[in-house]
Amino acid sequence: AAGDGVETPHHILPGSYLAPLAGPANREGRVAAENIMGRNTEYKSTQGTSIVKVFDMVAGGTGATERQLAKLGIPFESIHVHPSGHAGYYPGTAMMHLKLIFDPTSGRILGAQVAGFDGVDKRLDVLAAALRANQTVYDLEEYELAYAPPFGSAKDPINMAGFVASNILRGDFKLW
């Protein structure tokens, strides 16, 4: 079975979950077709990356939520940053809300949510790729992302989230 009606392993959480999303359903269909044709292909996991636009506002998430992690007793830490979608001196930007959830010991990215008006999809895709690759908040500090004033900032929101989360793990400051 493949597609919207099947449960698949979650990339972060233990167990299997229903995630009726087009991207995973398409990949599951490809895996099924490859197996029918004799190739031994496996569908590994779904992380539940999704995005929605309501009028001019965009919101999305990837990986686990705080509620899911707390319910399963999985330790986590989270940070919130509110950068602009692109350089503030270039017209047409607004603040976004970026929440990053990570393992309090290793810094492994466990989930993220982003909401705002411009650049939300870009940041969500970067965080989804980092989560899929089992990267950490320390990796986010090092990302070199495309920059020009209409598209981002010299210190991208992804870097900013990595800096704040890494500062917490290094003990540079405590959240209150």
Side-chain angles (χ1 to χ4, degrees):
D4 288 348
V6 300
E7 291 183 344
T8 57
H10 195 282
H11 189 71
I12 299 296
L13 304 171
S16 294
Y17 293 82
L18 186 63
L21 299 166
N26 186 282
R27 284 193 310 281
E28 291 167 35
R30 181 181 174 104
V31 167
E34 287 179 351
N35 279 279
I36 289 168
M37 297 306 296
R39 185 175 291 155
N40 187 15
T41 307
E42 179 184 352
Y43 185 85
K44 295 180 180 138
S45 65
T46 301
Q47 63 198 62
T49 305
S50 60
I51 192 165
V52 64
K53 183 173 182 176
V54 179
F55 301 108
D56 289 335
M57 187 167 216
V58 179
T62 189
T65 65
E66 283 191 10
R67 183 178 295 166
Q68 291 171 318
L69 294 165
K71 182 178 178 182
L72 294 168
I74 298 171
F76 67 88
E77 185 68 69
S78 64
I79 58 103
H80 301 255
V81 294
H82 302 92
S84 295
H86 61 263
Y89 56 84
Y90 191 90
T93 193
M95 279 188 3
M96 69 174 65
H97 180 88
L98 191 154
K99 177 181 181 180
L100 181 64
I101 306 165
F102 53 96
D103 181 282
T105 304
S106 68
R108 178 182 177 218
I109 300 164
L110 302 176
Q113 293 92 45
V114 188
F117 295 91
D118 76 301
V120 169
D121 57 330
K122 172 182 176 175
R123 280 36 181 245
L124 184 59
D125 283 343
V126 170
L127 291 166
L131 187 142
R132 174 59 67 170
N134 296 312
Q135 292 192 321
T136 70
V137 298
Y138 304 113
D139 294 311
L140 300 181
E141 292 181 294
E142 302 295 327
Y143 277 18
E144 184 177 328
L145 301 169
Y147 164 67
F151 306 109
S153 299
K155 192 166 39 178
D156 193 86
I158 296 296
N159 302 125
M160 293 170 104
F163 294 146
V164 172
S166 297
N167 285 345
I168 290 169
L169 294 179
R170 290 183 183 114
D172 293 342
F173 69 89
K174 293 185 188 276
L175 294 176
W176 48 273

